[in-house]
Amino acid sequence: MELLLLGTGAADGWPNPFCTCASCDDAVRRGEIRGQTAALIDDDVLMLDCGPEAPRAALRHGRNLARVRHILLTHAHADHLGPQALLFRSWVAAGFTVDVVGPAAAVDACRDWVGPDDPVRFVPVAAGDVLTVGDYRVGVLGARHKVFEDGDAVLYDVTGPDGARILWACDTGPLPDAWFDDVADAAFDAVFLEETFGDRSDLSAGHHTLAAFADTVAALRACGAVVDATDVVAVHLGHHNPPIAQVRRRLSGCGARVGNDGEVVRVGASGCEYGTGQRTLILGGVRSGKSRYAEELLDAYPTVTYVATGGTREGDAEWAERVALHRDRRPESWSTVETSDVAQVLRSATEPLLVDCLGTWLTARLDLHEVWTGGDLAAVEQDVEELLTAWANCAVPVVAVSNEVGSGVVPASASGRLFRDQLGRLNARVAEISDSVSIVVAGIPMRLR
């Protein structure tokens, strides 16, 4: 099963567009703008919630909703239900019927947005129902959340045709003990659990705080719904949280991580113990903060392998100091591998990777094949193809850092121009097959995709 997160923010997103709190200012500075939480599953056939921002979010992430045959609505709050999308759909001849599944109140809110002949089937559900939706088995679970009355919000237990199983738990507050009986021993491949209020326990019982999130994850582990292989992802994040770097660190304490807008999560038989092979490329100039930002993205994982592609340089004190500074700021639980055979590391990895960086990797391959003195550039290109194949098939989360060298003056030497051209091509090809690409300028990360 493959799931694209269209958004991971609360009703007002994060940052709130009207707010100047420290959390919102930090999100703006980082360029981490989260839209309302929703998702697409498997070739965009099944949609989880459809708020007013979701259709445009799909387009921004390179998808559209033309193939959506089933929409699962959790409830009728405005950030989860934008029924006008059904009107816009009616203006295009889809050629098939779409199922709109959800609590009766949410389904009823959609009826006035379709004509009598529109190919839409409404399927009201309630907690406890189990139904077949296309190729998916869907269990409907209760939520501690309501729009107007108890029972008008639900959660979903979805099993795909490949046997992959996820829990979509958004929106809900802390759940009663009896609720966990319905998911006992589920061993979900991934759990998407809302975490809205950070440390604000005074706002509503219908959402999770950070502490309540950890308690719910612990209860899911205790009943066998979450196991070591489960990817636990926090969504519906709001600005009552502390700055995102702190959220990542605190969620890691319960074995969870932050979801990101545009992230593709792969789960199921082809997955590994981390549940996703998310590939992220971070570009930037020298001393731009790209490596530090890459490290922050992997904060949530208890262990990470840092792949140092630069190797050692005997007698170079300045280089040794640079390496030491990088090593000192990484967590003690991280391990380091110094190698230019990055493809082999990608193929054999069993825990998340940070590759730093592709520029020094390329330099090592150019050195190996003596390209500077007229050697075999075709051999370097073969190495690039091997790297790209390993990157595309890597079974663990991996972040690669690379230099952006094409924005300055034209290098004066032939070797400098060769390196610039080869690295530019390499960056473009890695970006093409990455799930997420960002560039860091003056310490500020900006999401490119």
Side-chain angles (χ1 to χ4, degrees):
M1 184 186 294
E2 179 181 282
L3 183 145
L4 168 66
L5 288 171
L6 297 176
T8 56
D12 52 348
W14 187 13
N16 179 308
F18 302 97
C19 183
T20 58
C21 72
S23 180
C24 287
D25 285 348
D26 176 74
V28 171
R29 181 185 66 81
R30 290 172 170 272
E32 295 195 34
I33 312 301
R34 299 175 186 275
Q36 296 165 347
T37 295
L40 286 172
I41 291 180
D42 289 345
D43 296 323
D44 312 333
V45 167
L46 187 147
M47 191 171 189
L48 293 166
D49 283 322
C50 184
E53 294 181 356
R56 286 295 158 195
L59 294 173
R60 282 193 297 273
H61 298 313
R63 309 288 184 89
N64 62 44
L65 306 183
R67 294 185 297 278
V68 171
R69 292 177 176 268
H70 321 287
I71 303 173
L72 303 186
L73 301 172
T74 54
H75 60 292
H77 276 147
D79 57 316
H80 294 260
L81 174 60
Q84 62 270 28
L86 295 172
L87 173 64
F88 305 149
R89 179 182 183 270
S90 73
W91 298 346
V92 178
F96 57 83
T97 298
V98 65
D99 297 319
V100 177
V101 180
V107 168
D108 288 345
C110 297
R111 296 184 188 276
D112 290 341
W113 291 90
V114 302
D117 299 321
D118 286 349
V120 178
R121 180 186 302 113
F122 294 110
V123 184
V125 295
D129 290 347
V130 178
L131 62 157
T132 299
V133 179
D135 294 328
Y136 299 85
R137 176 194 178 278
V138 177
V140 185
L141 303 169
R144 190 183 178 190
H145 194 80
K146 67 179 182 180
V147 183
F148 295 112
E149 59 186 28
D150 291 339
D152 63 4
V154 299
L155 313 176
Y156 291 109
D157 171 354
V158 181
T159 302
D162 60 354
R165 189 175 182 183
I166 67 165
L167 173 63
W168 184 256
C170 180
D171 290 353
T172 184
L175 295 154
D177 292 343
W179 182 94
F180 295 91
D181 295 339
D182 293 331
V183 294
D185 300 318
F188 290 108
D189 292 288
V191 168
F192 300 89
L193 177 62
E194 72 117 85
E195 192 287 292
T196 307
F197 285 148
D199 294 316
R200 293 290 302 275
S201 59
D202 58 316
L203 295 174
S204 169
H207 291 288
H208 278 86
T209 62
L210 279 164
F213 183 98
D215 290 342
T216 295
V217 172
L220 289 168
R221 290 189 191 280
C223 75
V226 166
V227 295
D228 289 344
T230 305
D231 190 14
V232 181
V233 184
V235 294
H236 207 266
L237 298 150
H239 74 123
H240 294 295
N241 278 284
I244 193 64
Q246 294 183 39
V247 175
R248 287 192 175 104
R249 286 193 291 271
R250 291 175 64 177
L251 288 178
S252 69
C254 65
R257 64 181 182 84
V258 168
N260 295 299
D261 288 30
E263 176 182 352
V264 177
V265 181
R266 297 178 181 86
V267 298
S270 61
C272 67
E273 62 174 310
Y274 291 95
T276 173
Q278 174 80 6
R279 297 171 297 272
T280 302
L281 175 64
I282 307 298
L283 302 169
V286 174
R287 297 294 192 183
S288 62
K290 59 186 183 298
S291 293
R292 186 180 294 276
Y293 177 61
E295 291 163 7
E296 289 178 359
L297 293 179
L298 292 168
D299 266 352
Y301 298 104
T303 59
V304 173
T305 298
Y306 181 92
V307 186
T309 65
T312 58
R313 301 183 185 181
E314 295 296 331
D316 190 334
E318 188 271 340
W319 179 258
E321 183 181 1
R322 284 174 178 257
V323 171
L325 287 172
H326 274 249
R327 184 180 293 114
D328 289 346
R329 72 171 182 237
R330 297 196 294 267
E332 291 183 1
S333 61
W334 287 26
S335 59
T336 300
V337 173
E338 294 183 352
T339 181
S340 64
D341 191 358
V342 175
Q344 175 56 32
V345 176
L346 292 169
R347 286 192 295 265
S348 61
T350 58
E351 66 182 22
L353 300 174
L354 172 53
V355 179
D356 195 356
C357 72
L358 295 182
T360 51
W361 174 84
L362 179 62
T363 300
R365 306 321 284 179
L366 291 166
D367 287 344
L368 176 67
H369 299 296
E370 301 179 342
V371 173
W372 312 116
T373 55
D376 190 0
L377 185 57
V380 175
E381 292 170 351
Q382 283 186 321
D383 290 343
V384 169
E385 293 300 329
E386 184 182 6
L387 176 75
L388 292 170
T389 300
W391 177 261
N393 295 306
C394 186
V396 299
V398 56
V399 177
V401 175
S402 191
N403 301 104
E404 180 53 61
V405 297
S407 301
V409 298
V410 176
S413 66
S415 60
R417 292 191 293 274
L418 171 67
F419 177 76
R420 177 202 60 178
D421 292 348
Q422 292 297 318
L423 184 57
R425 294 188 186 104
L426 174 62
N427 287 344
R429 296 194 65 190
V430 172
E432 185 179 10
I433 56 175
S434 295
D435 300 302
S436 177
V437 183
S438 295
I439 187 167
V440 181
V441 180
I444 302 172
M446 294 176 285
R447 184 74 60 86
L448 302 179
R449 185 172 74 235

